[in-house]
Amino acid sequence: MLFENRELSKIALKVIQAFQDQQFVKIKVINETNNHQIIGIITKIDQVTRRIKLSHDRGIDWLPFDDILNVEPVN
């Protein structure tokens, strides 16, 4: 549990930094069928519903924070 909390804190810091810098990120997300990656810009963080709004070339996705496995900056 402690490891999981540390990982979630690291992901949260990366999300906040990317949002503040308006930086393109690659987000690895888990869903019912598989894991996938989306590249885009975080345009909103909703703390109440624990979701982030990601704008990308195919539109917009609202991603539940608990489904995010990793966040990496895109160079």
Side-chain angles (χ1 to χ4, degrees):
M1 186 73 149
L2 183 60
F3 175 77
E4 184 177 311
N5 287 341
R6 259 190 258 159
E7 286 303 308
L8 289 176
S9 293
K10 287 180 186 178
I11 290 170
L13 288 174
K14 290 178 182 180
V15 165
I16 291 166
Q17 189 67 49
F19 174 69
Q20 290 175 341
D21 296 344
Q22 284 298 282
Q23 178 181 30
F24 276 90
V25 289
K26 183 188 323 181
I27 298 181
K28 186 174 184 181
V29 181
I30 188 169
N31 64 22
E32 304 85 35
T33 56
N34 63 356
N35 298 345
H36 64 282
Q37 295 183 353
I38 307 170
I39 295 175
I41 295 178
I42 298 169
T43 57
K44 183 169 182 164
I45 300 172
D46 187 333
Q47 294 179 353
V48 174
T49 61
R50 293 183 45 87
R51 299 182 306 163
I52 64 167
K53 183 178 180 182
L54 186 72
S55 296
H56 50 84
D57 60 350
R58 294 181 310 275
I60 295 171
D61 281 317
W62 281 96
L63 305 173
F65 186 77
D66 292 335
D67 290 354
I68 298 172
L69 298 176
N70 193 27
V71 178
E72 298 176 12
V74 174
N75 296 328

